[in-house]
């Protein structure tokens, strides 16, 4: 599953992100189904009490997602909620697998380390221009189009690789040194601030665990030295933070606005949120409303853009899931980390990270603790990166997170009282997994099949084979039409065929699922063609307010007001176009500026 998520990034279904997500959903469904059959063969199923509590939280979370799907986000798409449900059930499945097969945990980490090495080599070869980049605007991306996903994946496996380098008994220490070097070089080439800061945190936590730096320093140093070191550390963090902010200041300022408006959205619907998968639509409407007033700054207008995500998984979870969803998310993470910390505390007397164990049973404990420490540090790093970027939304990062959480839950070091399932509960558990696996597999495979048809229609449209595109879309059942991709492709076909009335009907349906400047521009164009100027102005204004630094909505507004012979508003938008700075110069913006300048000259000539 992880191999597919990293290295299969084709546009077979819409784009690489959708292709990857559907592969994950289908593979996850197969694993869930297979687990049911494996569990059915077992005479008994035993789990630790703390893992049992985690599974209860997961079951509550799944139930809550289903509740919001059917009662809160009734008009929205179900792709994200399905993604979360499959991921949570996979956590239970992986926990069971690692509980039954304890020896595969370290093998799993070694395997992921090898994947990280391959990914790193891929990045270096891209830098040397031996392998083509997957993004024409970025030189090094790794196997993904977005370099952030590659970089964050490498940052999460870094703790295990570094711990293996520090382990003097590791047979393949030189191999891990090579892997560590490759990962560090790749992180620098990928230029992802989030991953670099996460890697620094990972290195600090690993060194603290291995050398007990903090405890030894506190016990052996004077108060003056402790104070001076504390000041130095704070100064260093401030410098790193300052540099991280100013190296991409526009991006950082844009995220500050997103977080500010997202917190406002949480206050608007605090209990149940807006529904899972609805962030993009509702956030952009909130942003449009914000820029329609007079309280925004010029800097905010320059840096604002159409936004798909909060760039903070915790805030986005609260926006979509409300207090209840947020509480379940936090409870799951907190209990997993508490379980990991408890495992290390209970077994600290058996091993010491600075000592070399020679007895076989002690080596096994050392190996298990190394894996658990890697998981705990990995989850902490993931949480840190989740504060400033998207993480678990990306399939490779979600895969790693599920592995970390399930390995901690399945640890053989857990000495808490076990929970043994009765025969009835075991049968119910296994049959539920078999049934869920079958249902999810059928649903995800069928959805992927029809999404592929939509992709075929889009490709026909690009080649101007509109009749073929229409015929493909007509074969899609009504149940699978209610999604962004279907509405976008069908409405665009009507629009390109100059069937504005039909296009408008579909655009209005699209408006319930997503909000983008282009969507509102196209709705405005349809109304303009029908001479519905007031509705056209309303939609062009919405497009402008979602992304205030764009030229096209202003040009369209200028065109409407010229058509209406509204000289005052036409002059207003012509002046705005002339004064607006180009973020990325293009022939389109140059043409728009020339049209606005010519209009101003013609008005001045008449007045002169």
């Amino acid at each position: 599953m992880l191999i597919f998520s990293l290295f299969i990034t084709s546009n077979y279904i819409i784009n690489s992100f959708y292709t990857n997500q559907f592969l994950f959903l289908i593979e996850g469904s197969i694993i869930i189904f297979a687990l049911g059959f494996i569990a059915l063969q077992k005479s008994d199923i035993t789990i630790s009490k703390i893992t049992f509590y985690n599974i209860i939280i997961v079951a509550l979370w799944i139930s809550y997602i289903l509740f919001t799907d059917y009662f809160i986000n009734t008009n929205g798409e179900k792709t994200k909620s399905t993604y979360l449900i499959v991921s949570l059930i996979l956590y239970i499945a992986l926990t069971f697998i690692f509980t039954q097969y304890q020896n595969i945990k370290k093998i799993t980490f070694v395997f992921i380390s090898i994947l990280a090495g391959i990914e790193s080599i891929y990045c270096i070869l891209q830098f040397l221009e031996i392998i083509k980049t997957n993004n024409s605007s970025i030189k090094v991306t790794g196997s993904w189009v977005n370099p952030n996903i590659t970089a964050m994946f490498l940052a999460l496996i870094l703790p295990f690789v570094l711990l293996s380098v520090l382990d003097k008994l590791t047979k393949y220490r030189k191999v891990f040194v090579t892997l560590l070097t490759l990962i560090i070089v790749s992180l620098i080439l990928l230029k992802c601030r989030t991953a670099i800061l996460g890697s620094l945190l990972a290195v600090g936590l690993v060194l603290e665990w291995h050398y007990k730096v903090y405890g030894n320093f506190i016990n052996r140093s004077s108060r003056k030295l402790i104070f001076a070191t504390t000041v130095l550390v704070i100064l260093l963090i401030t410098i790193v933070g300052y540099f991280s902010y100013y190296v991409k200041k526009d991006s950082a300022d844009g995220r500050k606005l997103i977080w500010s408006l997202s917190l406002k959205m949480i206050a608007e619907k605090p209990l149940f949120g807006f529904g899972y998968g609805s962030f993009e639509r509702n956030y952009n409407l909130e942003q449009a409303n914000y820029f329609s007033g007079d309280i925004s700054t010029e800097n905010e207008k320059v840096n604002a853009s159409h936004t798909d995500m909060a760039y903070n998984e915790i805030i986005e979870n609260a926006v979509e899931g409300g207090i209840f969803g947020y509480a379940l998310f936090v409870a799951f993470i907190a209990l997993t980390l508490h379980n990991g910390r408890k495992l290390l505390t209970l077994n600290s007397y058996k091993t010491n990270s600075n000592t070399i164990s020679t007895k076989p049973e002690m080596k096994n404990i050392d190996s298990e603790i190394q894996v658990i420490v890697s998981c705990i540090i990995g989850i902490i790093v993931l949480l840190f990166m989740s504060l400033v970027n998207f993480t678990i939304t990306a399939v490779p990062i979600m895969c790693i997170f599920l592995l970390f959480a399930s390995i901690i839950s399945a640890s053989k070091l857990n000495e808490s009282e076990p929970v043994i399932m009765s025969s009835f509960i075991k049968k119910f558990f296994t049959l539920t997994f078999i049934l869920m696996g079958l249902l999810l597999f059928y649903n995800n495979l069928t959805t992927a099949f029809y999404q592929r048809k939509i992709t075929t229609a889009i490709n026909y449209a690009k080649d101007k084979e509109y009749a073929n595109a229409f015929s493909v879309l007509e074969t899609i059942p009504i149940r699978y039409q209610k999604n962004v991709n279907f509405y976008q492709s069908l409405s665009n076909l009507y629009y390109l065929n100059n069937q504005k009335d039909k296009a408008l009907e579909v655009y209005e349906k699209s408006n319930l699922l997503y909000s983008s400047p282009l969507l509102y521009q196209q709705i405005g164009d349809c109304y303009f063609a029908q001479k519905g100027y007031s509705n056209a102005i309303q939609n062009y204004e919405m497009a402008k307010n979602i992304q205030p630094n764009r030229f096209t909505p202003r040009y369209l507004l200028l065109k409407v007001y010229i058509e209406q012979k509204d000289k005052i508003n036409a002059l207003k938008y012509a002046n705005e176009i002339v004064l607006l700075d180009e973020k990325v110069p293009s022939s389109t913006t140059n043409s728009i500026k020339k049209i606005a300048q010519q209009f101003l000259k013609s008005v001045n000539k008449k007045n002169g």
Side-chain angles (χ1 to χ4, degrees):
M1 184 181 287
L2 190 58
I3 294 172
F4 284 132
S5 70
L6 279 171
F7 298 109
I8 296 183
T9 52
S10 75
N11 295 328
Y12 186 76
I13 299 175
I14 309 298
N15 55 42
S16 58
F17 182 84
Y18 271 98
T19 303
N20 211 265
Q21 195 169 70
F22 275 108
L23 273 172
F24 172 81
L25 293 174
I26 293 166
E27 291 163 358
S29 305
I30 293 169
I31 291 172
I32 292 164
F33 175 76
L35 168 69
F37 270 107
I38 294 169
L40 201 60
Q41 310 305 315
K42 297 289 177 182
S43 55
D44 60 72
I45 299 175
T46 304
I47 55 173
S48 67
K49 187 173 280 188
I50 201 159
T51 301
F52 177 70
Y53 295 147
N54 242 0
I55 290 173
I56 289 174
I57 290 171
V58 166
L60 288 171
W61 197 358
I62 291 170
S63 303
Y64 180 74
I65 292 168
L66 291 170
F67 166 78
T68 58
D69 260 8
Y70 288 98
F71 296 102
I72 307 298
N73 188 27
T74 53
N75 292 320
E77 266 200 275
K78 310 302 178 190
T79 307
K80 184 169 183 179
S81 54
T82 304
Y83 174 70
L84 288 173
I85 288 168
V86 169
S87 299
L88 291 168
I89 299 172
L90 264 177
Y91 158 76
I92 299 173
L94 290 169
T95 299
F96 174 80
I97 291 167
F98 285 123
T99 300
Q100 298 300 315
Y101 308 101
Q102 291 285 338
N103 294 333
I104 67 170
K105 284 183 284 190
K106 187 157 187 178
I107 295 168
T108 301
F109 261 100
V110 171
F111 176 72
I112 298 170
S113 300
I114 292 168
L115 289 182
I118 294 168
E119 191 68 68
S120 299
I121 292 168
Y122 198 100
C123 292
I124 292 165
L125 292 176
Q126 280 181 332
F127 177 74
L128 297 173
E129 299 182 354
I130 296 171
I131 291 179
K132 200 174 180 181
T133 180
N134 295 320
N135 188 327
S136 57
S137 60
I138 303 172
K139 188 174 183 179
V140 180
T141 63
S143 58
W144 270 72
V145 175
N146 189 330
N148 291 353
I149 297 172
T150 305
M152 287 188 289
F153 165 72
L154 295 177
L156 290 175
I157 198 60
L158 183 64
F160 177 77
V161 175
L162 182 55
L163 281 166
S164 299
V165 169
L166 295 173
D167 184 1
K168 295 176 183 177
L169 284 181
T170 302
K171 291 180 182 178
Y172 305 103
R173 197 177 182 192
K174 289 181 180 178
V175 175
F176 282 107
V177 169
T178 305
L179 276 175
L180 182 63
T181 306
L182 289 170
I183 289 171
I184 291 169
V185 171
S186 297
L187 284 167
I188 294 167
L189 294 177
L190 288 162
K191 298 177 184 178
C192 174
R193 291 170 300 168
T194 304
I196 290 171
L197 292 174
S199 299
L200 291 173
L201 175 62
V203 169
L205 291 172
V206 168
L207 294 178
E208 165 57 28
W209 163 257
H210 190 80
Y211 293 111
K212 305 293 184 288
V213 178
Y214 177 77
N216 291 333
F217 178 74
I218 293 296
N219 293 330
R220 297 176 187 177
S221 304
S222 64
R223 288 184 179 180
K224 288 183 180 179
L225 183 59
I226 291 170
F227 176 77
T229 306
T230 303
V231 171
L232 186 63
V233 169
I234 292 171
L235 183 64
L236 184 63
I237 291 171
T238 304
I239 292 169
V240 171
Y242 180 86
F243 176 76
S244 299
Y245 174 73
Y246 278 97
V247 74
K248 287 185 180 178
K249 185 178 181 298
D250 291 348
S251 171
D253 287 341
R255 292 186 189 189
K256 279 163 59 182
L257 175 66
I258 293 169
W259 299 336
S260 172
L261 294 180
S262 296
L263 291 173
K264 189 180 173 187
M265 290 171 70
I266 294 168
E268 288 171 14
K269 289 193 176 182
L271 291 179
F272 301 110
F274 289 85
Y276 291 97
S278 66
F279 179 85
E280 184 272 342
R281 177 183 184 271
N282 292 292
Y283 173 81
N284 287 296
L285 293 177
E286 185 74 37
Q287 183 164 285
N289 182 56
Y290 176 72
F291 284 119
S292 66
D294 299 323
I295 57 173
S296 59
T297 65
E298 285 304 314
N299 186 52
E300 286 175 334
K301 289 177 181 177
V302 169
N303 293 315
S305 64
H306 172 248
T307 301
D308 292 317
M309 58 194 71
Y311 294 98
N312 182 309
E313 294 284 1
I314 290 86
I315 289 176
E316 186 170 325
N317 191 280
V319 169
E320 294 185 332
I323 290 171
F324 293 111
Y326 175 77
L328 289 164
F329 173 71
V330 170
F332 176 73
I333 298 289
L335 194 58
T336 301
L337 288 175
H338 170 71
N339 190 13
R341 186 192 64 80
K342 194 174 178 183
L343 291 173
L344 297 181
T345 304
L346 287 171
N347 292 276
S348 59
Y349 69 93
K350 296 178 184 176
T351 185
N352 185 308
S353 59
N354 291 316
T355 347
I356 299 173
S357 305
T358 53
K359 295 180 181 179
E361 63 273 16
M362 295 302 287
K363 285 183 181 179
N364 290 336
I365 292 172
D366 283 343
S367 176
E368 180 77 5
I369 285 180
Q370 180 187 347
V371 168
I372 296 298
V373 170
S374 300
C375 291
I376 293 171
I377 293 175
I379 291 175
I380 292 171
V381 170
L382 178 65
L383 283 174
F384 170 77
M385 294 193 296
S386 296
L387 295 174
V388 291
N389 216 324
F390 69 96
T391 51
I392 55 175
T393 311
V395 173
I397 310 303
M398 176 62 93
C399 288
I400 295 292
F401 171 64
L402 293 175
L403 285 170
F404 287 170
S406 56
I407 285 172
I408 290 172
S409 297
S411 177
K412 65 184 178 184
L413 300 179
N414 202 319
E415 296 180 357
S416 63
E417 186 181 340
V419 175
I420 302 172
M421 292 186 187
S422 66
S423 176
F424 172 78
I425 296 293
K426 191 198 90 167
K427 284 180 182 177
F428 176 78
F429 170 80
T430 53
L431 290 174
T432 301
F433 263 69
I434 290 169
L435 183 61
M436 283 192 302
L438 280 172
L439 289 173
L440 287 168
F441 177 75
Y442 173 77
N443 180 62
N444 292 325
L445 188 64
T446 310
T447 306
F449 173 76
Y450 288 116
Q451 288 290 321
R452 173 58 192 166
K453 284 203 163 195
I454 294 169
T455 309
T456 303
I458 291 169
N459 291 333
Y460 276 133
K462 285 178 182 175
D463 296 333
K464 298 185 178 180
E465 297 179 32
Y466 300 132
N468 287 334
F470 275 120
S471 64
V472 170
L473 291 178
E474 284 169 3
T475 64
I476 297 174
I478 293 172
R479 180 188 168 190
Y480 296 97
Q481 291 179 8
K482 193 178 176 181
N483 66 80
V484 171
N485 298 322
F486 178 82
Y487 288 147
Q488 277 183 340
S489 56
L490 183 60
S491 56
N492 287 340
L493 277 173
Y494 284 134
Y495 184 87
L496 292 168
N497 275 275
N498 208 29
Q499 296 174 274
K500 296 294 195 316
D501 290 346
K502 289 185 177 181
L504 188 56
E505 287 178 21
V506 184
Y507 281 135
E508 295 296 356
K509 291 178 182 178
S510 303
N511 198 18
L512 297 172
L513 298 180
Y514 75 106
S515 54
S516 72
L518 181 59
L519 170 65
Y520 287 105
Q521 283 171 207
Q522 290 170 326
I523 293 174
D525 289 345
C526 292
Y527 280 119
F528 183 79
Q530 297 172 348
K531 299 190 184 301
Y533 297 129
S534 60
N535 285 328
I537 288 168
Q538 184 182 346
N539 282 281
Y540 291 150
E541 285 279 3
M542 182 67 80
K544 175 181 76 75
N545 289 329
I546 288 176
Q547 195 166 350
N549 52 40
R550 295 182 79 242
F551 282 81
T552 305
R554 284 178 172 80
Y555 164 68
L556 294 170
L557 284 162
L558 171 63
K559 197 167 76 166
V560 176
Y561 286 122
I562 290 173
E563 184 72 20
Q564 287 188 303
K565 297 182 171 42
D566 184 341
K567 194 162 119 180
I568 294 172
N569 280 309
L571 283 168
K572 173 190 169 185
Y573 283 106
N575 279 306
E576 280 190 20
I577 290 168
V578 171
L579 295 172
L580 191 64
D581 290 329
E582 294 179 78
K583 285 189 83 173
V584 181
S586 70
S587 57
T588 304
T589 54
N590 286 336
S591 299
I592 290 172
K593 273 185 175 285
K594 283 177 184 177
I595 291 168
Q597 287 164 351
Q598 286 167 2
F599 173 75
L600 290 171
K601 281 179 184 177
S602 67
V603 170
N604 289 333
K605 203 171 184 181
K606 285 178 185 177
N607 294 338

